[in-house]
Amino acid sequence: MAVASTSLVSQLSGPKSLSSYSGLRPSCCKLEFSHSLSATQSLFRHLHSLLRLSSSSRKASRGVVAMAGTGKFFVGGNWKCNGTKDSIRKLVADLNSAKLEADVDVVVAPPFLYLDQVKSSLTDCIELSGQNSWVGKGGAFTGEISVEQLKDIGATWVILGHSERRHVIGEDDQFIGKKAAYALSEGLGVIACIGEKLEEREAGKTFDVCFQQLKAFADAVPSWDKIVVAYEPVWAIGTGKVASPEQAQEVHVAVRDWLKQNVSAEVASKTRIIYGGSVNGGNSAELAKKEDIDGFLVGGASLKGPEFATIVNSVTAKKVAA
């Protein structure tokens, strides 16, 4: 089976190796069968992505938004540990004066200290998110922020599983899954982050890592109705490096297929899968053209009002001409 698949790649792409073709799993004739099977599965996911993109480009008509999922385009701005009262006042003013496309769900996540300031001055067209929340009801947990506090201050979303929480703070998959379950049970939407480190991508483990992180969410959450999945390759966050549109699309297809196989076809269709990792005003339009990229989670560029507006408005790149 693996030999036949390699032959198919050769027919489609010439002398490229499987690893350079997919960027996800290396090909090696000496691998055990199970690893060859994994490479084959990766290959077919990639070919499936190419076929879907080809099909969508043929069938697209004027004014149609080319999205594999059925959800509305979603753009989140993660301000991280940045800002002062003055700089945030200026950023909010820029956002309030920006002309944003109406068919986009826009969310910003200021530092907790400034949520109230932003809530009281930001346009109602943009929702608020926390950057983190505690795993249960508040109490004697020094330095933590409870879901109840986020709701009380006006937040409707929370970012959970971000790589900086995973790899700097040390939160594990199961803990993050429990946090998501509690936030959802209390009515907050969850931006559920997944993504691989550079060494994991180079070792061909991108799918393995992302699927393991997805499984921790799936094992814990009561429903997927208010979950947005954010694929953020760790090697692209804040580094200036960005996954190519093809690399991002390939993982997004795999994530949607995983949801279809392990949760349900309905969840796979409805769940928005957004991309994060050095997204900016210059690359967002090309990324947005990909069928399975349903929006973005933006870091540094979200601190610049006009550039963030450009990213929000990249939804127009999905509206393809006949």
Side-chain angles (χ1 to χ4, degrees):
M1 184 176 180
V3 173
S5 299
T6 303
S7 175
L8 182 56
V9 171
S10 300
Q11 293 173 34
L12 291 175
S13 59
K16 281 186 180 180
S17 68
L18 180 59
S19 59
S20 65
Y21 187 79
S22 71
L24 293 174
R25 295 185 188 272
S27 174
C28 177
C29 60
K30 295 181 181 179
L31 290 178
E32 296 296 327
F33 175 76
S34 62
H35 292 120
S36 298
L37 182 59
S38 295
T40 304
Q41 291 169 336
S42 174
L43 167 64
F44 278 109
R45 288 190 186 101
H46 184 67
L47 295 178
H48 178 58
S49 170
L50 294 178
L51 290 171
R52 284 173 60 177
L53 287 173
S54 174
S55 173
S56 66
S57 65
R58 291 194 305 269
K59 295 178 181 177
S61 58
R62 190 178 310 278
V64 174
V65 179
M67 290 174 67
T70 58
K72 198 174 181 182
F73 202 72
F74 186 105
V75 178
N78 182 8
W79 297 359
K80 304 190 179 183
C81 190
N82 293 295
T84 63
K85 286 192 293 184
D86 287 342
S87 68
I88 286 176
R89 187 179 300 114
K90 171 66 165 61
L91 177 53
V92 168
D94 287 343
L95 293 174
N96 285 343
S97 63
K99 181 175 175 54
L100 303 178
E101 290 290 319
D103 52 348
V104 183
D105 284 335
V106 185
V107 177
V108 294
F112 182 73
L113 285 171
Y114 303 116
L115 272 171
D116 195 41
Q117 176 188 346
V118 175
K119 175 64 178 175
S120 65
S121 56
L122 184 65
T123 171
D124 291 339
C125 298
I126 300 176
E127 295 181 80
L128 286 188
S129 172
Q131 297 180 16
N132 178 45
S133 63
W134 180 235
V135 69
K137 190 174 181 179
F141 306 106
T142 301
E144 285 294 340
I145 299 162
S146 73
V147 169
E148 291 80 6
Q149 289 170 326
L150 288 175
K151 290 170 58 181
D152 184 51
I153 213 164
T156 52
W157 292 87
V158 63
I159 300 170
L160 295 174
H162 193 280
S163 67
E164 290 150 7
R165 300 295 307 181
R166 292 179 185 273
H167 304 303
V168 179
I169 307 301
E171 295 181 357
D172 63 30
D173 295 341
Q174 287 67 39
F175 185 64
I176 294 164
K178 290 177 182 177
K179 290 169 74 170
Y182 185 74
L184 290 166
S185 73
E186 293 298 310
L188 280 188
V190 171
I191 302 171
C193 300
I194 62 172
E196 82 284 4
K197 295 185 286 187
L198 179 60
E199 57 266 33
E200 292 166 336
R201 169 167 279 269
E202 291 177 338
K205 296 180 178 178
T206 294
F207 289 154
D208 298 331
V209 171
C210 290
F211 294 169
Q212 177 180 315
Q213 293 168 349
L214 275 173
K215 186 176 186 301
F217 284 114
D219 288 346
V221 301
S223 167
W224 287 79
D225 289 345
K226 296 186 70 174
I227 296 178
V228 170
V229 175
Y231 168 59
E232 294 196 299
V234 180
W235 48 271
I237 299 174
T239 63
K241 298 178 181 179
V242 61
S244 69
E246 293 73 25
Q247 286 174 317
Q249 166 68 8
E250 185 171 29
V251 178
H252 283 226
V253 168
V255 168
R256 201 176 303 281
D257 286 345
W258 188 93
L259 290 172
K260 182 177 180 179
Q261 295 167 20
N262 294 277
V263 184
S264 74
E266 181 181 14
V267 165
S269 176
K270 288 183 176 180
T271 300
R272 290 171 288 186
I273 305 169
I274 64 177
Y275 172 78
S278 296
V279 177
N280 58 51
N283 59 33
S284 57
E286 287 303 309
L287 286 161
K289 290 177 182 178
K290 294 301 182 182
E291 184 182 1
D292 286 271
I293 296 179
D294 302 324
F296 302 107
L297 184 57
V298 187
S302 69
L303 299 172
K304 305 168 185 176
E307 185 169 11
F308 186 64
T310 297
I311 297 169
V312 170
N313 293 337
S314 68
V315 68
T316 58
K318 283 196 176 293
K319 297 176 181 178
V320 291

